[in-house]
Amino acid sequence: MRINQYTVLLDENKLPFLVKERGLNYTDEVKGVGSLVRLCNTIFNASKQAEEHVYLVCCTTSGKVCGLFDVSHGTVNNCLMGPREILQRALLCGAAKISIAHNHPGGSIKPSAEDIRATRRIKEAAEMIGLQLDDHIIIGDNDTYYSFAQENSLKEK
């Protein structure tokens, strides 16, 4: 399958637009949390990054990947996950569903209080504009991960 990795730039009027960074031939099917973790590790080396990064996987209604982004790059233990930046990218590439992932360089996959708050804000904002947040995944080391969806942490409380 062909997956496009994008970035967002501003035009001369300071309006955002998509720029295709590269097209990738990715042979694995992207269905389920394990395959999303493999995708982020294969494309971005997520589990080996020295600082936190936030990744966005955009999908069509049928689940086909329509865009891949490295949204944010932070420090060894912090990275901004702004709903605006995430949803802007999702809308620009025509996504119906999104999954976000970020790495924890220290290896722990336990979500922080900020991870939980950010997930809640992104989910609420996505729902307001008709996008579905399928999952938020924290990628640790040694093929470990935490999936908010698998842990039922995306449901309303």
Side-chain angles (χ1 to χ4, degrees):
M1 128 179 46
R2 191 86 173 146
I3 296 178
N4 291 321
Q5 184 180 345
Y6 296 102
T7 192
V8 176
L9 297 176
L10 297 175
D11 67 13
E12 61 277 353
N13 296 313
K14 300 293 184 197
L15 297 173
F17 68 98
L18 278 182
V19 175
K20 181 176 159 183
E21 288 186 328
R22 63 184 176 148
L24 309 155
N25 289 321
Y26 190 74
T27 56
D28 291 347
E29 187 175 21
V30 183
K31 291 214 185 275
V33 65
S35 64
L36 283 170
V37 171
R38 279 191 303 280
L39 175 70
C40 289
N41 280 330
T42 300
I43 305 303
F44 299 115
N45 291 310
S47 65
K48 296 182 183 341
Q49 295 293 332
E51 293 90 21
E52 284 195 14
H53 288 256
V54 175
Y55 308 108
L56 172 64
V57 180
C58 298
C59 296
T60 63
T61 313
S62 64
K64 181 178 183 260
V65 176
C66 61
L68 192 59
F69 298 86
D70 184 342
V71 176
S72 182
H73 177 179
T75 66
V76 70
N77 62 359
N78 190 10
C79 196
L80 293 175
M81 268 188 266
R84 179 187 183 282
E85 289 73 24
I86 289 170
L87 299 178
Q88 177 187 62
R89 285 157 176 78
L91 290 172
L92 284 171
C93 74
K97 302 176 184 184
I98 59 171
S99 292
I100 53 176
H102 81 280
N103 63 313
H104 278 181
S108 168
I109 57 170
K110 184 175 188 233
S112 68
E114 183 52 35
D115 292 337
I116 294 165
R117 276 191 300 274
T119 304
R120 195 170 297 132
R121 283 192 334 264
I122 293 164
K123 182 179 187 298
E124 288 170 2
E127 287 174 347
M128 285 176 154
I129 59 172
L131 287 173
Q132 178 180 326
L133 175 62
D134 279 348
D135 207 347
H136 176 188
I137 302 162
I138 299 171
I139 300 171
D141 53 14
N142 299 320
D143 297 322
T144 60
Y145 61 85
Y146 177 92
S147 163
F148 279 76
Q150 282 183 345
E151 297 297 326
N152 291 318
S153 298
L154 290 178
K155 296 193 189 294
E156 299 300 322
K157 294 192 177 181

